[in-house]
Amino acid sequence: MSDSAVLVEARGLAKTYRGRKGSSTDAVSDLSLTCHAGEVYGLLGPNGAGKTTTLRMLSTVLSPTRGTARLAGFDVVTQATQVRSKLGFLSGNTGLYPRLTPREVLRFFGRLHGMENDAISARIEELGGVFRMTEFLDKRCDALSSGMKQKVNVARTALHDPDILILDEPTVGLDVLASRTIVEFVRDCRSRGKCVIFSTHIMGEVSRLCDRLAIIHLGKVQFDGTLAELRARAGDDLEEAFVTVLEQST
Amino acid sequence: MNLSMVAVIARKEFRDVLRDRRTLIFMMLLPIVVMPLLMVGVTRFVTSQAQAKQAKVVRIAADGRTQATVRALRDSWYEHNATRLALLFGSVGLSAGGGVEGLTALLTRVDDVEGAERSAEQNELQPDQAMAAAIKGLQELDEAQKRLLREARDVGGLVGRIEFVDPAELSEEGSLAQGVEIPDELPAALADASLTLAIQRKHIQAALHLPSDALVTLDESPLSVPFGTVVDGASGLDYSAGEYSLLSRTSARSSVPVHVLYDSSIGLSEEAYDRIASFVRGLSAFTLDLRLVQAELPSDFAEPLQLTPANVATTSRKLQAALGGILPYMLLAFCFFGALYPALDVTAGEKERFTLETLLLAPVSRFEIAAGKFVVVFVAAIVAAVLTTTSMVITFTHGILPPEVMASFEVEFQPLALLLTASLVLPVAALYASALLAVGVVARSFKEAQSYTVPLQFIMVLPTLVSMLPDVEAESYLAWIPFVNISVLMKELLKGNYLWSFYGVTLLSTLLLTLLGLGVTSWLFRRESVLLRS
């Protein structure tokens, strides 16, 4: 794995939120990680650990207070537009336009990524097949179920065929069938050499998908390695191992 | 800045915003449909209320002597004018044989003819042959006949439109409402608290009192026809020729005080007063004429100085001044409201729907995102302003102004005035768009954004009301006051006054303010603490 190209590299990332009256909160204090092409990198951590802030910094939505990060060789602060063109990002904060149809949403983002009309149409048809969305591509998004919306959202992240995908809890609230579609999609991305950062609370998905994983707690990476390395350090049961790492966090 | 990306964002925002009912309502439905309907509806309602008030019979408390005096005065006036009245009503195809008692019915018929004339002018209903002849007859009345018709309504028609009530029949008890006092100078007959109470409780609309020697006082004027044989049963006075003649020589006054008790805070009570006042004015003018004839004095004797104004403002220009006063406010207010919902929808609305972050992840700069959104809000503001102006002008010219006013109304708005007005609206629309976008992006939710727009309305819309104040002139210092300058200047432009230095300062100060607004909005769009505030 380490022979593959490094697509995501963060060094000493930190994000401090300044409050009123001079108070401050460190959401992420000193975070470093490296992800490669053809790798699914799991990101685990309890609520408030700093996962979402980290992913937002990697996606250029937030600027780091300290440290650097490069995606596909581009700096997240100074080359933000190039970073975004190489990235597909999905989180609970990336919704769909309710008054537009999935086709219109995808077409809009395709244009923003500089794709030609024909290429967008072909890609929509292709993703419509992958995510079984054909029958609701022309319905307004506010009329879709949660599962349908999430499929459209994942299709949006993959529309411009980016090298890096960051999926923050993509299967949350979905039924088994919809979750399976997304898991299959992630596997397909890995096989096509993409780098996928996959954040989740579901240990089953971690064991099925992730090649390596990081456990974040208190704004820092507390563990970074393969599943086997995690088990060797903290026990066979993944959930128990996760809790053990949290308890040993500094 | 990549303009094609701005266009992509703007196109998407247009599509999105145009599917939002609230935006459509504020941008299109309100100016095109609701405002005209409201304005026409309110105008018609006020007119119909006024007509209904005029048609109502009012109850006036008066003692028997006062009642008899009013009737006697009315009868005397009629006797003097019977022949002229016959000619007048004859010209509209009516027989005046009904005597003074039938006068009210005849006047109602004249009202009908005038109503038919209005309908014909508005092309609502074409009159039949008889009605057409009556309309023509009315139109051909000379000035003296028109004055007689007015007098017939005011003096001759009074008794038919009032119902006299004997004060003794009123048995009001209780205390007067707080703050109500019976005036000191009232004659004893009206000082009774029960009369004031009856007016307040709307059992009567007014109380009237004439002194017992009213007819005698007036008889000192040379009425050629005596008041006849009107006998007032209540007072026992017999106004037969002999008695009146005897009494008339003993009177030392030539003016009769007519006391009226009414409450101007009650609509119908004020109407009752107006009717009595018209009666007194009409009769007063008539009596004065007779006195002058008797004294062999010229008809303008009682008017030593005659005011003869020559107002150079045409009806059209007066209308333009009125429209010029209200248009800036309407134009800018709808510009603001047209921009309001799209601006909040594409900012705070997107935050609420979690779509703003999706957009921030696209490979476009935040400035391009702000610019794309700005284009949509700016266009919405302009569309709302244009629709409002158009529908306002159409509503005024085809729905509200009466046809006789419209006949003299010529739209004289010069193309240059419209061009200069547009050059002022554009920067203001840009300023509104940027300010509303700024408010929308700072707010955490749509609701919060709406609450921020209230003070914004006070700052940015309310000052434009200044053009509706009649005495505001385009003083040079006003050119530096934002929004007031636009409003005042637009009013002058629409009147045809091209104040170039005022225009220059206004345009410059507005452009500077607009640039500042755009700068602040653009800066806010680059701040993650603002964009991701939730």
Side-chain angles (χ1 to χ4, degrees), chain B residues 205-515:
Chain B
Q205 277 68 52
L208 175 68
H209 177 75
L210 274 84
S212 56
D213 61 349
L215 291 173
V216 176
T217 305
L218 289 174
D219 264 352
E220 289 211 319
S221 73
L223 290 173
S224 57
V225 176
F227 283 117
T229 54
V230 180
V231 177
D232 183 353
S235 64
L237 264 177
D238 182 0
Y239 297 109
S240 62
E243 194 170 345
Y244 113 81
S245 176
L246 174 70
L247 287 168
S248 70
R249 300 293 166 250
T250 62
S251 173
R253 288 188 311 185
S254 59
S255 179
V256 174
V258 180
H259 290 281
V260 187
L261 184 70
Y262 77 111
D263 185 337
S264 67
S265 67
I266 301 169
L268 206 53
S269 182
E270 190 160 37
E271 171 68 18
Y273 170 75
D274 287 344
R275 287 183 197 179
I276 295 168
S278 298
F279 176 80
V280 169
R281 268 195 301 273
L283 202 68
S284 208
F286 162 75
T287 309
L288 178 65
D289 279 354
L290 291 181
R291 285 179 179 180
L292 292 172
V293 169
Q294 181 65 24
E296 294 180 351
L297 291 167
S299 60
D300 57 1
F301 177 79
E303 203 176 6
L305 292 170
Q306 198 171 34
L307 190 64
T308 315
N311 189 351
V312 293
T314 58
T315 312
S316 177
R317 199 168 157 78
K318 278 190 273 185
L319 271 173
Q320 275 185 30
L323 270 178
I326 196 171
L327 263 180
Y329 170 70
M330 297 300 285
L331 194 66
L332 297 178
F334 275 90
C335 202
F336 184 88
F337 289 118
L340 179 71
Y341 272 93
L344 303 195
D345 189 67
V346 300
T347 49
E350 285 222 29
K351 277 189 184 179
E352 242 175 31
R353 297 188 294 267
F354 298 110
T355 51
L356 190 59
E357 198 163 325
T358 320
L359 187 57
L360 295 177
L361 289 160
V364 287
S365 72
R366 289 178 183 177
F367 186 75
E368 285 160 353
I369 292 175
K373 290 179 183 295
F374 170 79
V375 168
V376 177
V377 180
F378 175 69
V379 170
I382 296 294
V383 167
V386 169
L387 288 178
T388 307
T389 318
T390 313
S391 83
M392 277 277 294
V393 171
I394 292 174
T395 308
F396 264 105
T397 53
H398 289 81
I400 286 186
L401 295 175
E404 61 269 21
V405 177
M406 271 319 299
S408 61
F409 183 64
E410 300 156 21
V411 179
E412 290 171 7
F413 296 151
Q414 298 294 320
L416 181 60
L418 293 178
L419 197 72
L420 294 176
T421 305
S423 73
L424 295 170
V425 172
L426 292 177
V428 177
L431 183 56
Y432 283 167
S434 61
L436 287 166
L437 279 175
V439 160
V441 81
V442 165
R444 291 182 185 88
S445 65
F446 201 94
K447 204 172 168 185
E448 187 182 325
Q450 276 181 308
S451 67
Y452 291 161
T453 62
V454 176
L456 212 57
Q457 286 174 43
F458 279 103
I459 298 166
M460 297 187 143
V461 182
L462 226 56
T464 62
L465 273 171
V466 82
S467 63
M468 287 168 75
L469 303 175
D471 297 327
V472 172
E473 296 294 329
E475 305 277 356
S476 55
Y477 73 92
L478 289 179
W480 291 101
I481 304 176
F483 309 108
V484 170
N485 54 8
I486 303 265
S487 163
V488 169
L489 184 58
M490 270 189 202
K491 184 180 177 181
E492 293 300 322
L493 286 173
L494 295 175
K495 280 196 293 185
N497 299 336
Y498 297 98
L499 310 168
W500 291 108
S501 60
F502 196 101
Y503 172 80
V505 173
T506 302
L507 190 64
L508 182 73
S509 61
T510 309
L511 281 173
L512 285 175
L513 203 61
T514 304
L515 286 175

Side-chain angles (χ1 to χ4, degrees), chain A residues 155-234:
Chain A
R156 176 190 59 74
T157 62
L159 185 73
H160 54 295
D161 198 22
D163 294 334
I164 304 156
L165 284 141
I166 297 178
L167 307 176
D168 187 7
E169 300 185 29
T171 58
V172 71
L174 299 188
D175 63 22
V176 177
L177 289 175
S179 299
R180 183 189 285 252
T181 309
I182 288 168
V183 168
E184 281 169 8
F185 166 73
V186 172
R187 281 193 179 128
D188 179 60
C189 287
R190 175 170 54 193
S191 66
R192 293 195 294 118
K194 310 288 181 193
C195 169
V196 183
I197 297 180
F198 192 91
S199 161
T200 184
H201 288 295
I202 304 166
M203 293 303 163
E205 284 178 357
V206 175
S207 61
R208 270 185 288 151
L209 278 174
C210 297
D211 302 303
R212 288 195 308 126
L213 63 99
I215 296 175
I216 298 180
H217 190 36
L218 305 175
K220 293 178 187 167
V221 174
Q222 306 290 347
F223 173 84
D224 186 2
T226 63
L227 274 171
E229 286 167 347
L230 177 65
R231 286 193 175 107
R233 175 175 155 183

Side-chain angles (χ1 to χ4, degrees), chain A residues 47-193:
Chain A
N47 291 334
K51 291 194 306 290
T52 301
T53 303
T54 304
L55 298 180
R56 275 177 154 179
M57 284 192 284
L58 292 178
S59 68
T60 76
V61 169
L62 289 180
S63 312
T65 312
R66 292 184 305 278
T68 57
R70 297 182 81 82
L71 272 76
F74 297 111
D75 186 273
V76 292
V77 176
T78 58
Q79 296 168 300
T81 307
Q82 290 93 322
V83 168
R84 291 198 287 270
S85 67
K86 297 285 179 189
L87 172 71
F89 184 94
L90 173 115
S91 80
N93 293 321
T94 54
L96 299 172
Y97 298 106
R99 296 189 290 260
L100 301 189
T101 66
R103 191 186 298 280
E104 288 167 341
V105 171
L106 295 175
R107 197 164 278 285
F108 171 56
F109 282 100
R111 287 193 184 119
L112 290 181
H113 280 284
M115 295 168 72
E116 296 295 328
N117 278 341
D118 291 345
I120 296 172
S121 300
R123 186 71 173 143
I124 290 173
E125 291 311 312
E126 184 191 340
L127 291 169
V130 170
F131 293 106
R132 299 181 194 91
M133 314 189 291
T134 317
E135 55 200 62
F136 58 83
L137 269 176
D138 296 307
K139 283 185 182 171
R140 274 171 56 139
C141 289
D142 54 7
L144 303 183
S145 69
S146 314
M148 289 170 174
K149 281 181 191 164
Q150 194 68 331
K151 284 179 178 180
V152 178
N153 228 332
V154 177
R156 176 190 59 74
T157 62
L159 185 73
H160 54 295
D161 198 22
D163 294 334
I164 304 156
L165 284 141
I166 297 178
L167 307 176
D168 187 7
E169 300 185 29
T171 58
V172 71
L174 299 188
D175 63 22
V176 177
L177 289 175
S179 299
R180 183 189 285 252
T181 309
I182 288 168
V183 168
E184 281 169 8
F185 166 73
V186 172
R187 281 193 179 128
D188 179 60
C189 287
R190 175 170 54 193
S191 66
R192 293 195 294 118

